[in-house]
Amino acid sequence: MNLNQIHNVYFIGIGGIGMSALARHFKILGKNVCGYDKTPTILTDELIESGIAIHFEDNIGLIPNDFYIENTLVIITPAVPKTHSEWNYFLERDFIIKKRAEVLGIITRETFCFAVAGTHGKTTTSSILAHILFESGADVTSFLGGIVENYNSNLVGNGKTITVVEADEFDRSFLHLHPNIACITSMDADHLDIYGDSASIEASFLAFADKVSDKTKLFITNGLPLAGITVGIDEPSDYKGFNIRIENSNYVFDVETPSEIIKNIRFGLPGKHNLMNAIMALAMSKTYGTPTDDIVKALLSFKGIKRRFSYQIKSSNCVYIDDYAHHPTEINAVHQAVSELYPNQKVLAIFQPHLFSRTRDFIDDFAKSLSAFDDVILLDIYPARELPIEGVDAKWLLSKMTNPNKKIVSKADLIPTLLKSKATVYVTIGAGDIGELVPSIKNALNEKV
């Protein structure tokens, strides 16, 4: 399919973080872009402000008339149910219908592609890499799974020859990509509703790794069962971070590469996991040929990603951090970062579980990760694409937690509960609609202090 011959692009599920980046891209290219989503969000508001028409009712009559012609590409998200009437309308009339991953596959086939894979760390690593390449003057377009603070967008750049993409393992989407340089940050079990078991996930990552024929262009976190260039911290690796210290809430560290030692790199995102992400992005950009000075400057100026350890309040008597973590490993990383930065302060974590199946599959790990915080508030499970599973709910998770300072709170009662808390550090955690609550929580906590 030649994307240059497409005039209209219609998105079913346009409000998703990955879908919206593609929508922005096609809008910049001058395509006529329109779409549907289930509910309005901050992200859909931004798309509408950019001139993209969006409606929130599954209604064929709301599709604009000029999208009924042949040169319309329909892009769908895997989360859309097969009963969706608009999707079926286009199916019955033989429109070109592609998954988001398939469209990214077409785009990456025509460009030099950096692909960032891993069950954790994709968004941060790809965003850091995008920032490095863009700041160095590379002709790059980056499709990201988060809103980068430096650009207030999940689409960075408007280049024609280079792409940076998140290689998403969900639904084996990353197998559509055509990577020239790639990395795999982690291969933990996740998406068991799709894969069934961890062996199938690992097999999928191995298949992705095989798409990079030159293993000197495949970067892996030290310890993964793959052939490639290793990246690690304080252990023998091809790219090794060491001499790590904290100065003014920033990491300062050195990196040993195959050709040099880069000293006194400064990076502002907390947590050892983010330090690994930064070194991974450094390794990929260094291999591409980005000058060392440009890499170091970009790491210093990188501001972070919304909902990735994103500071909402940072004062002497109150700290509020928001994070997208939705897997036990990610929650552990949040706790490690908070503990490192605020070792003697009371931390309250507010967690919204994401998916009934993920909660069921990792119930004991979730309970252990959450119990590490001083106080924990649970919201009800965010279902996303799923129907409820009998016996799987927030009460079950609460019963598994060993921390006695725990409770389930409704969204309506959340802010009054927070205002009664004696915590000095607050963390909202989860991949559901908890992100929509962040502005009101921020306002309430600001008034409290």
Side-chain angles (χ1 to χ4, degrees):
M1 186 180 70
N2 187 345
L3 292 176
N4 293 325
Q5 296 175 351
I6 297 294
H7 298 306
N8 301 316
V9 188
Y10 189 84
F11 288 82
I12 300 178
I14 194 169
I17 192 71
M19 293 280 276
S20 59
L22 269 180
R24 293 184 202 266
H25 173 67
F26 283 119
K27 177 71 175 175
I28 289 171
L29 290 180
K31 310 293 186 185
N32 189 18
V33 180
C34 179
Y36 155 88
D37 209 280
K38 188 164 60 173
T39 50
T41 62
I42 296 169
L43 199 46
T44 57
D45 289 345
E46 291 176 356
L47 293 177
I48 291 169
E49 286 175 16
S50 74
I52 296 174
I54 301 174
H55 59 269
F56 302 95
E57 179 187 345
D58 178 14
N59 184 343
I60 296 164
L62 296 177
I63 302 171
N65 288 335
D66 49 356
F67 282 79
Y68 291 96
I69 56 179
E70 290 181 3
N71 58 356
T72 292
L73 168 64
V74 179
I75 303 177
I76 62 167
T77 173
V80 173
K82 292 183 178 179
T83 56
H84 197 275
S85 60
E86 293 185 13
W87 182 11
N88 281 286
Y89 176 87
F90 288 117
L91 273 174
E92 290 163 2
R93 286 155 183 79
D94 295 324
F95 276 74
I96 301 170
I97 301 175
K98 300 284 184 185
K99 291 181 180 180
R100 178 182 65 91
E102 292 177 298
V103 177
L104 283 175
I106 295 167
I107 293 171
T108 59
R109 189 173 59 220
E110 305 299 328
T111 58
F112 187 97
C113 173
F114 291 83
V116 177
T119 44
H120 322 294
K122 285 190 298 293
T123 297
T124 303
T125 304
S126 57
S127 297
I128 298 168
L129 177 61
H131 181 62
I132 291 171
L133 293 173
F134 183 79
E135 287 293 298
S136 72
D139 183 44
V140 65
T141 296
S142 300
F143 301 90
L144 307 170
I147 305 298
V148 184
E149 298 280 7
N150 296 70
Y151 311 97
N152 195 33
S153 181
N154 53 348
L155 182 75
V156 174
N158 187 30
K160 303 291 190 294
T161 59
I162 305 167
T163 49
V164 174
V165 298
E166 288 191 32
D168 190 358
E169 75 277 5
F170 176 74
D171 199 29
R172 297 176 173 82
S173 295
F174 56 6
L175 300 183
H176 290 286
L177 301 176
H178 301 273
N180 298 93
I181 296 178
C183 75
I184 298 176
T185 63
S186 53
M187 289 167 46
D188 292 349
D190 198 5
H191 302 301
L192 296 183
D193 56 322
I194 300 294
Y195 285 99
D197 55 38
S198 57
S200 297
I201 294 174
E202 187 169 312
S204 190
F205 275 105
L206 288 169
F208 171 76
D210 284 343
K211 295 179 77 69
V212 185
S213 55
D214 182 354
K215 297 310 177 191
T216 67
K217 303 291 171 53
L218 175 65
F219 297 84
I220 60 171
T221 298
N222 216 351
L224 292 183
L226 297 165
I229 304 299
T230 56
V231 177
I233 294 176
D234 289 331
E235 57 183 346
S237 311
D238 296 309
Y239 285 80
K240 181 181 76 172
F242 67 103
N243 193 22
I244 299 158
R245 57 264 192 216
I246 295 176
E247 296 178 8
N248 299 321
S249 299
N250 286 341
Y251 280 121
V252 183
F253 61 102
D254 303 338
V255 173
E256 182 178 359
T257 80
S259 60
E260 65 181 316
I261 293 179
I262 310 170
K263 292 191 171 183
N264 299 321
I265 302 169
R266 292 182 176 270
F267 184 65
L269 270 74
K272 290 289 175 62
H273 61 298
N274 282 324
L275 193 55
M276 268 294 298
N277 296 334
I279 298 169
M280 186 71 80
L282 177 152
M284 295 174 77
S285 52
K286 184 74 180 162
T287 297
Y288 179 68
T290 307
T292 300
D293 286 349
D294 288 349
I295 296 172
V296 172
K297 286 178 185 176
L299 290 176
L300 176 62
S301 64
F302 185 71
K303 295 179 181 178
I305 306 149
K306 289 182 180 178
R307 304 225 61 231
R308 300 304 195 283
F309 211 89
S310 177
Y311 278 101
Q312 304 299 310
I313 302 172
K314 193 177 186 181
S315 66
S316 58
N317 54 357
C318 181
V319 172
Y320 171 32
I321 297 158
D322 178 46
D323 197 277
Y324 187 74
H326 53 283
H327 185 280
T329 302
E330 296 166 347
I331 296 171
N332 287 336
V334 172
H335 181 263
Q336 182 271 324
V338 171
S339 300
E340 185 176 57
L341 290 167
Y342 307 102
N344 301 312
Q345 298 197 42
K346 186 173 185 178
V347 181
L348 168 59
I350 304 103
F351 177 58
Q352 181 189 48
H354 184 263
L355 297 178
F356 296 102
S357 61
R358 182 182 283 123
T359 304
R360 175 199 63 202
D361 294 337
F362 302 104
I363 186 72
D364 291 329
D365 292 333
F366 273 124
K368 184 177 179 181
S369 298
L370 291 166
S371 293
F373 291 93
D374 299 312
D375 289 358
V376 183
I377 288 174
L378 291 183
L379 300 179
D380 286 332
I381 296 173
Y382 183 76
R385 57 186 179 270
E386 292 184 338
L387 295 173
I389 298 173
E390 186 176 354
V392 179
D393 54 23
K395 289 181 181 177
W396 184 36
L397 176 54
L398 192 79
S399 72
K400 291 272 190 176
M401 290 168 54
T402 57
N403 184 342
N405 304 314
K406 58 185 179 179
K407 63 176 73 172
I408 295 173
V409 175
S410 68
K411 289 180 188 175
D413 292 333
L414 179 58
I415 287 177
T417 303
L418 296 181
L419 294 177
K420 294 175 186 174
S421 170
K422 292 189 167 108
T424 53
V425 179
Y426 300 82
V427 188
T428 42
I429 306 171
D433 60 2
I434 189 171
E436 298 294 311
L437 303 176
V438 170
S440 57
I441 294 172
K442 179 179 178 179
N443 289 338
L445 291 178
N446 268 326
E447 290 179 9
K448 178 182 177 182
V449 299

